[in-house]
Amino acid sequence: MGLQREEEEEEQRRDIWLRIHSLMPMRDAARSACTSQAFLRSWRCHPNLTLNRNTLSLNPFKERKGDFVCKIDSVLRNHSSIGLKILHLDLHDDPGTFVYVDSWLQVAVTPGIEELMLMLYEKYNLPCSLLSDGVRNSIRYLRLQNCAFHPTVELGPLRSLTSLRLQSVNITGDELECLISNTLALEQLQLSSCENIIFLKIPCVLQQLKSLSVKACQKRIEIEIEAPNLYCIYFYRVKIKFLPRGALLMKDFTLHCRNSFYYARAKLLSVMPNLETLLLLSFAEVVNTPMLPTKLFYLKHLTIQIITGGAFSPSYDYFSLVSFLDASPSLETLILDVSQGRMEHESVFGGSSHLRQLPELRLDCLKRVKILGFCSAKGLVELTCCILKNAVSLEHIVLNTLCEGGCCSELDNGPSLPIGRLLEEAFRAVSAIRLYIENEVPPSVKLTVVEPCARCHSSMVVPDAS
């Protein structure tokens, strides 16, 4: 009995070591293996491996030729019998590893693996046979970079895969559609620099798909989307034609691309009748937002933002954004971020003092408005006045004349350092508020103006608004 009890206690201690080791970062787990036999044994059972020069403590200026290959080979061979859960293999900076990739993957990618990330040096042809029945049933996250992957209908379904990321992967649109059509749990799809994809269909069977990202592709891509619950689309440096089939069911939606304001209003919103929350992020806006008859009857929350480093064309008419207000009779909150490094639009202080109005506009539900980066552009002043005159339920409007980060920066707790050009426009924006907007604010509405601080006032001469 005593011997049996000792064996049980030893087994419990071993399980505790394994549990502790499995929770440690891989680099720390490997280092601790040098301290005791117990940690060495548990290290060889560590289920999560991230293998790159950093985690293997290799200095590219000091290592000998073949050290990187030898260390990876040793780690993977020592873990070959335990069944890895996570393998992140980063070989993108070493051409000498290419000939070993096949054997390493055969050892490491086994049934039960949940995350696989391969970042390779050159176009390795990933065999479909690597994704056996057991692997397809367990894998949840797959990221491939700089390889060729040509799935066919014979591959079979990836039942647990929720996230797929492909970067510089040689794969066609038909091959990718074949893959994702059998990946019914997919929630996130990211494509970057996959130059052989010209047309891609996102089928309606992807009921769980929430996020689609396509970026840095040189050729024009046409995407036909039937997935009904997609709510976030990100396009970056890509020419894309969006071809939705029928009404999409999403209630929350984010679009991140160049000319997203125009694109959303002209192309997308007519097929999204159930939207309640909309976030539009743009790198640049060149074309005015069109006034169209389509309505978003359920839209309650709208955010329109030029991202950091982006800009409106000087010819862009801020007032055209009223199209979104006209289309949204149930809108309750509006956040408009037009922060830019330079204001090049027609100023309200130049030319005609006549301000456009839209008396037929009805904003019965709008309660809160915030405009960040408010400037003296005539179209923006007109838009603000239009909101104040037509939003009968408005409670609070915030006009922030400063860009993100404020007007001043502090260095070593020293004096404020004003940012000249931005600060000058902020002063002009405040003058525009005083002259054109304050008198339009109803007594029941709270107006908050965020303006340059006292230090900035004392350090600059306020420009003449006239």
Side-chain angles (χ1 to χ4, degrees):
M1 279 296 285
L3 181 60
Q4 181 179 357
R5 184 171 182 178
E6 287 180 5
E7 290 176 348
E8 290 176 351
E9 290 176 349
E10 178 64 25
E11 184 68 27
Q12 289 176 354
R13 282 194 294 270
R14 188 178 299 114
D15 290 342
I16 292 173
W17 286 125
L18 288 173
R19 176 61 177 164
I20 293 173
H21 229 159
S22 68
L23 297 174
M24 294 172 66
M26 196 211 76
R27 192 171 179 174
D28 294 338
R31 285 175 171 172
S32 67
C34 302
T35 63
S36 71
Q37 286 295 318
F39 268 132
L40 177 61
R41 287 192 295 270
S42 63
W43 157 242
R44 289 174 175 169
C45 296
H46 199 275
N48 307 329
L49 296 181
T50 298
L51 302 179
N52 55 48
R53 277 196 160 77
N54 182 47
T55 58
L56 294 175
S57 301
L58 288 174
N59 186 329
F61 300 105
K62 295 181 179 180
E63 69 178 85
R64 294 170 298 178
K65 185 177 181 180
D67 282 355
F68 191 38
V69 168
C70 289
K71 283 204 171 188
I72 291 177
D73 193 74
S74 175
V75 171
L76 290 179
R77 299 293 173 187
N78 284 330
H79 287 76
S80 60
S81 61
I82 60 103
L84 292 177
K85 296 293 185 184
I86 297 174
L87 174 61
H88 293 178
L89 190 57
D90 184 357
L91 312 174
H92 79 279
D93 57 354
D94 194 326
T97 60
F98 185 76
V99 296
Y100 300 94
V101 174
D102 263 329
S103 60
W104 287 342
L105 294 182
Q106 292 298 330
V107 167
V109 182
T110 58
I113 193 166
E114 296 177 0
E115 288 191 21
L116 176 60
M117 183 181 77
L118 300 177
M119 302 174 67
L120 305 176
Y121 179 79
E122 55 183 289
K123 293 292 185 183
Y124 169 75
N125 195 351
L126 186 75
C128 291
S129 59
L130 187 70
L131 302 176
S132 64
D133 286 345
V135 172
R136 293 200 307 272
N137 287 337
S138 63
I139 194 163
R140 297 184 294 105
Y141 175 91
L142 177 61
R143 178 181 177 184
L144 304 176
Q145 178 177 322
N146 210 20
C147 68
F149 185 40
H150 303 292
T152 62
V153 290
E154 288 77 22
L155 177 61
L158 282 76
R159 297 181 179 86
S160 301
L161 189 66
T162 59
S163 180
L164 176 63
R165 299 180 61 183
L166 304 179
Q167 180 178 350
S168 299
V169 172
N170 184 351
I171 187 172
T172 68
D174 289 341
E175 290 167 340
L176 181 56
E177 181 186 346
C178 180
L179 175 66
I180 62 178
S181 295
N182 276 324
T183 311
L184 303 186
L186 192 64
E187 297 178 2
Q188 183 181 59
L189 175 61
Q190 295 187 30
L191 307 175
S192 177
S193 300
C194 297
E195 304 298 343
N196 289 333
I197 298 177
I198 306 300
F199 176 83
L200 177 62
K201 180 178 179 179
I202 310 295
C204 63
V205 294
L206 296 182
Q207 301 283 316
Q208 305 304 315
L209 187 65
K210 303 295 191 301
S211 175
L212 171 66
S213 172
V214 184
K215 57 184 178 178
C217 297
Q218 300 303 316
K219 300 176 182 177
R220 181 179 180 86
I221 297 178
E222 292 189 357
I223 297 184
E224 182 178 296
I225 295 183
E226 296 180 357
N229 297 310
L230 188 67
Y231 68 78
C232 181
I233 296 182
Y234 173 81
F235 300 149
Y236 177 65
R237 292 176 59 191
V238 58
K239 295 180 179 179
I240 195 154
K241 185 177 182 181
F242 189 61
L243 302 172
R245 283 273 188 94
L248 302 177
L249 303 179
M250 68 277 288
K251 294 185 178 181
D252 300 329
F253 185 70
T254 298
L255 179 63
H256 191 170
C257 67
R258 182 183 177 90
N259 287 317
S260 68
F261 308 164
Y262 168 82
Y263 201 74
R265 189 67 184 100
K267 305 290 186 181
L268 297 186
L269 300 186
S270 60
V271 295
M272 301 177 182
N274 299 312
L275 275 185
E276 295 181 2
T277 302
L278 176 61
L279 171 60
L280 300 177
L281 303 162
S282 180
F283 309 111
E285 288 295 317
V286 177
V287 183
N288 289 339
T289 308
M291 184 72 80
L292 297 171
T294 52
K295 299 291 185 181
L296 296 168
F297 290 104
Y298 303 103
L299 186 65
K300 295 181 179 180
H301 310 288
L302 173 61
T303 299
I304 298 175
Q305 179 181 357
I306 284 285
I307 64 169
T308 302
F312 286 97
S313 165
S315 62
Y316 184 85
D317 184 4
Y318 287 107
F319 190 70
S320 70
L321 291 172
V322 77
S323 174
F324 286 103
L325 305 180
D326 179 67
S328 311
S330 300
L331 191 66
E332 296 179 2
T333 61
L334 170 66
I335 298 175
L336 178 59
D337 187 348
V338 294
S339 302
Q340 298 181 88
R342 178 182 298 179
M343 204 289 282
E344 298 180 336
H345 293 75
E346 178 190 358
S347 173
V348 72
F349 297 116
S352 171
S353 60
H354 172 72
L355 300 183
R356 287 170 293 178
Q357 300 182 24
L358 200 63
E360 66 274 17
L361 181 66
R362 294 188 59 85
L363 301 174
D364 295 339
C365 300
L366 188 60
K367 297 178 180 179
R368 291 170 294 277
V369 174
K370 179 185 289 186
I371 302 180
L372 305 171
F374 186 88
C375 62
S376 65
K378 185 175 181 181
L380 188 56
V381 173
E382 291 173 324
L383 178 65
T384 306
C385 290
C386 185
I387 291 172
L388 288 168
K389 289 180 179 180
N390 294 282
V392 295
S393 300
L394 190 64
E395 299 172 356
H396 190 194
I397 181 168
V398 178
L399 302 180
N400 189 335
T401 65
L402 309 175
C403 293
E404 185 177 357
C407 55
C408 300
S409 59
E410 291 190 4
L411 183 63
D412 296 329
N413 297 320
S416 274
L417 302 176
I419 306 172
R421 183 175 294 163
L422 294 177
L423 202 50
E424 288 180 6
E425 178 52 39
F427 285 127
R428 276 190 286 269
V430 173
S431 297
I433 294 170
R434 302 284 185 256
L435 186 59
Y436 292 98
I437 294 175
E438 281 189 344
N439 291 335
E440 302 294 338
V441 180
S444 60
V445 176
K446 178 182 178 182
L447 169 65
T448 300
V449 178
V450 181
E451 57 184 287
C453 66
R455 289 180 178 178
C456 291
H457 276 282
S458 64
S459 65
M460 284 193 67
V461 176
V462 180
D464 185 1
S466 60

